[in-house]
Amino acid sequence: MLKKRIVVCLDVKDGRTTKGVKFKDNIDIGDPVEMAAEYYRQGVDELVFYDIMASTRGRGPILELISRVASQVFIPFCVGGGIGTLDDIRSSILAGAEKISLNSQAVKNPELIRQGARVFGNQCIVLGMDAAADAAMPSGYRIYINGGRTATGLDALDWAQQAVSLGAGEIVLNSIDADGTKAGYEINLTRMISEAVEVPVIASGGGGTPEHLVRVLTDGKADAALIASMVHSGEYTVAGIKSALSASGVPVR
């Protein structure tokens, strides 16, 4: 079995790390540069940095902040939020990002996935998916954009498969229903997408205990688990989570 990855997410708003529940009621929780450095010290495998207001406000990535975070970490670093052109992708990579997450902009312009993968390689292009349960959709889940504020007509399963066919090399799959609740990942959604695509799937939304990670990495068949609230609160450390996963038989780095 391949070793599983632990990924810490920093949602950033107005230059500060923020956290909410189900994409609402966000509060300021710290400086993203300092937090990135701390999680690197704790042994996190990768970092994801999302500018959660960029698409809504119609602006591009904050390159200066990306550069400052990248200077503190020497692990894969993925950046998302407001990246809508090849120039945005290029400038973010030059600022220090190894991967680029396309979410709202990919829905609005799917060709950006193909272009990005062709120019920078599939390994650089990550599909960010925000999905919520919806019985009206064939898979039972609907895609949302603009930080979870705008419903689309896209079915989650169809969109995942389409994005991978266009060249996405990885998927960060976030359950809006579970986001920030610390009540556990959306296992059904994660397993469905993981089984349907041939690229790594990172489960996101709902991680609250090491047991939640064990379940999504085994029953949910995720390749990695994204965490935020459980370490931002100080209740757990990355090293402690990895020890718990290892003790449960889940191979970690």
Side-chain angles (χ1 to χ4, degrees):
M1 179 186 278
L2 290 175
K3 291 184 177 179
K4 303 293 188 177
R5 291 172 286 149
I6 304 299
V7 183
V8 167
C9 178
L10 300 173
D11 285 336
V12 176
K13 178 182 179 183
D14 301 325
R16 300 283 293 176
T17 308
T18 183
K19 196 69 193 88
V21 177
K22 300 184 180 181
F23 287 27
K24 298 176 182 177
D25 303 321
N26 285 67
I27 58 171
D28 183 318
I29 58 173
D31 176 77
V33 180
E34 294 175 0
M35 294 175 73
E38 173 57 26
Y39 295 133
Y40 175 67
R41 285 192 291 270
Q42 289 183 19
V44 72
D45 298 309
E46 298 188 20
L47 274 173
V48 176
F49 171 107
Y50 289 133
D51 184 336
I52 63 171
M53 298 302 295
S55 290
T56 300
R57 293 175 177 173
R59 60 165 169 73
I62 306 175
L63 300 177
E64 182 267 341
L65 189 54
I66 293 171
S67 179
R68 287 171 57 211
V69 172
S71 72
Q72 299 297 311
V73 301
F74 303 94
I75 51 175
F77 174 39
C78 180
V79 170
I83 298 174
T85 67
L86 286 180
D87 283 342
D88 288 338
I89 296 174
R90 182 177 291 108
S91 60
S92 296
I93 291 172
L94 291 173
E98 279 84 15
K99 302 178 184 181
I100 301 302
S101 177
L102 302 176
N103 190 320
S104 301
Q105 299 300 329
V107 169
K108 296 170 185 175
N109 177 23
E111 189 61 24
L112 182 61
I113 300 173
R114 191 196 311 275
Q115 294 170 348
R118 186 179 67 244
V119 174
F120 303 102
N122 301 69
Q123 79 287 346
C124 277
I125 305 302
V126 179
L127 177 71
M129 285 177 54
D130 294 322
D134 188 331
M137 305 307 289
S139 72
Y141 297 91
R142 182 185 297 273
I143 292 295
Y144 285 72
I145 59 172
N146 297 330
R149 297 172 184 83
T150 307
T152 74
L154 290 174
D155 177 79
L157 180 58
D158 287 347
W159 176 229
Q161 293 174 317
Q162 180 187 347
V164 170
S165 72
L166 288 169
E170 190 169 62
I171 293 175
V172 174
L173 174 60
N174 188 53
S175 165
I176 294 174
D177 301 311
D179 180 78
T181 64
K182 296 198 286 185
Y185 295 89
E186 230 282 21
I187 301 298
N188 179 63
L189 171 65
T190 306
R191 182 170 53 239
M192 177 178 64
I193 300 298
S194 296
E195 290 179 341
V197 298
E198 295 182 352
V199 300
V201 173
I202 301 174
S204 172
T209 69
E211 291 73 24
H212 292 154
L213 277 77
V214 170
R215 187 160 180 236
V216 81
L217 293 169
T218 54
D219 295 348
K221 300 189 177 181
D223 297 275
L226 184 146
I227 54 176
S229 301
M230 62 189 295
V231 285
H232 293 343
S233 67
E235 187 176 0
Y236 295 96
T237 65
V238 174
I241 293 167
K242 284 190 172 186
S243 293
L245 291 178
S246 183
S248 297
V250 177
V252 293
R253 297 182 178 185

